[in-house]
């Protein structure tokens, strides 16, 4: 149980285009989903936290107009990288937890590797 | 100063060796602590939670020292399959926010 999927697993796009990444909880309802970014040899950095039906909370330094997050249902959250540039090339990973509040284990998706040419 | 600091390694050890990783965290209000394992180009996977009293899971032992804000992971009888990056992770404040260390790379050789 507790499986999280991401799609696509990798994507290559041209500079200036937008890319949408989907994160789905397959066998549980995810009240909260998280989006992380990881550059080579660096730690995972939390970008934003999203709760179903409400606006995402972005971490300091993350542009909300560039990284659009939608969490329209309890099993799906999407991250859209708008007007992507080469510096946005990274490994994007989502995670999901069943309930908010006190700590619950986060289940991670397999990640999406984005390369912007 | 980073919120979670780890020695990046790499630690190169032979099979059967015992290896220890250390981690320090800066937020004294941190509530939960974990070790994750991340294989190359994969997502992190929870290895074990870390409790104040210390805890063991097979060959893995985790310790927490809240006074020193220090966490450790001991791996005994290393296997080739233990080769990975080990991430020290701290839950800071409420709402499930996880802060990841940059990881310590372990390479176990025959």
């Amino acid at each position: 149980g507790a499986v999280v999927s991401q799609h696509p697993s990798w994507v290559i796009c041209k500079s200036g285009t937008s890319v949408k990444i989907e994160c789905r909880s397959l066998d549980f309802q995810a009240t909260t989903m998280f989006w992380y970014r990881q550059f080579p040899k660096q730690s995972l950095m939390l970008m934003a936290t999203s709760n179903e039906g409400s606006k995402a909370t972005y971490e300091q330094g993350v542009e909300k107009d560039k990284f659009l997050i939608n969490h329209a249902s309890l099993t799906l959250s999407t991250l859209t990288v708008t007007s992507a540039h080469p510096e946005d090339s990274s490994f994007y990973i989502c995670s999901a937890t069943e309930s908010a509040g006190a700590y619950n284990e986060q289940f991670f998706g397999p990640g999406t590797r984005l390369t912007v040419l | 100063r980073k919120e979670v600091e780890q020695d990046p390694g790499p630690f190169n050890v032979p099979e059967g060796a015992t290896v220890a990783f250390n981690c320090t965290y800066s937020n004294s209000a941190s509530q939960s602590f974990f070790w994750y394992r991340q294989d190359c180009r994969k997502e992190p996977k929870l290895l074990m939670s870390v409790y104040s009293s210390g805890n063991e899971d097979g060959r893995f032992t985790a310790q927490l020292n809240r006074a020193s804000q220090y966490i450790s992971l001991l791996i005994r009888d290393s296997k080739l399959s233990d080769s990975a990056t080990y991430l020290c992770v701290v839950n800071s404040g409420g709402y499930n926010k996880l802060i990841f260390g940059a990881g310590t790379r372990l390479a176990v050789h025959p």
Side-chain angles (χ1 to χ4, degrees):
Chain A
V3 178
V4 176
S5 71
Q6 275 185 248
H7 177 80
S9 54
W10 58 269
V11 58
I12 301 173
C13 70
K14 292 183 179 179
S15 187
T17 59
S18 293
V19 174
K20 180 186 282 190
I21 303 170
E22 292 185 350
C23 176
R24 293 181 186 272
S25 57
L26 299 185
D27 51 3
F28 67 100
Q29 294 191 322
T31 308
T32 307
M33 287 184 166
F34 304 84
W35 287 96
Y36 296 85
R37 179 168 54 180
Q38 186 177 32
F39 293 107
K41 299 190 178 181
Q42 294 187 27
S43 58
L44 272 77
M45 297 298 294
L46 180 64
M47 299 174 68
T49 302
S50 74
N51 292 292
E52 184 264 338
S54 61
K55 289 185 179 180
T57 301
Y58 289 80
E59 295 299 303
Q60 193 172 13
V62 179
E63 299 173 58
K64 60 181 67 176
D65 294 330
K66 181 170 181 62
F67 299 98
L68 302 179
I69 292 171
N70 183 281
H71 191 165
S73 78
L74 284 171
T75 58
L76 173 64
S77 176
T78 61
L79 167 68
T80 301
V81 183
T82 62
S83 187
H85 290 284
E87 58 267 28
D88 298 322
S89 299
S90 188
F91 190 43
Y92 291 86
I93 307 175
C94 72
S95 71
T97 185
E98 290 186 81
S99 60
Y103 182 75
N104 287 284
E105 183 178 351
Q106 290 184 26
F107 301 99
F108 285 84
T112 297
R113 196 160 297 278
L114 170 64
T115 301
V116 184
L117 301 176
Chain B
R1 183 186 170 191
K2 293 180 183 176
E3 287 194 65
V4 179
E5 297 217 49
Q6 295 180 251
D7 179 346
F11 284 63
N12 293 300
V13 303
E15 277 185 287
T18 295
V19 61
F21 303 140
N22 303 319
C23 166
T24 57
Y25 60 95
S26 61
N27 187 346
S28 58
S30 298
Q31 300 167 349
S32 307
F33 309 89
F34 311 91
W35 283 100
Y36 276 73
R37 169 194 170 129
Q38 186 174 26
D39 293 288
C40 189
R41 302 175 84 85
K42 301 279 190 179
E43 77 275 23
K45 297 195 174 182
L46 180 64
L47 180 65
M48 59 196 301
S49 300
V50 187
Y51 304 115
S52 297
S53 55
N55 49 297
E56 188 174 304
D57 183 1
R59 297 182 293 110
F60 300 85
T61 301
Q63 297 277 355
L64 167 65
N65 184 322
R66 284 187 184 269
S68 304
Q69 295 178 204
Y70 171 94
I71 306 163
S72 66
L73 176 68
L74 184 77
I75 304 176
R76 290 182 299 279
D77 189 23
S78 299
K79 311 290 184 193
L80 294 176
S81 57
D82 293 334
S83 298
T85 297
Y86 290 82
L87 308 174
C88 178
V89 184
V90 172
N91 168 233
S92 280
Y95 218 61
N96 286 306
K97 181 174 175 178
L98 296 181
I99 308 297
F100 284 78
T104 298
R105 198 154 61 87
L106 171 65
V108 182
H109 57 82

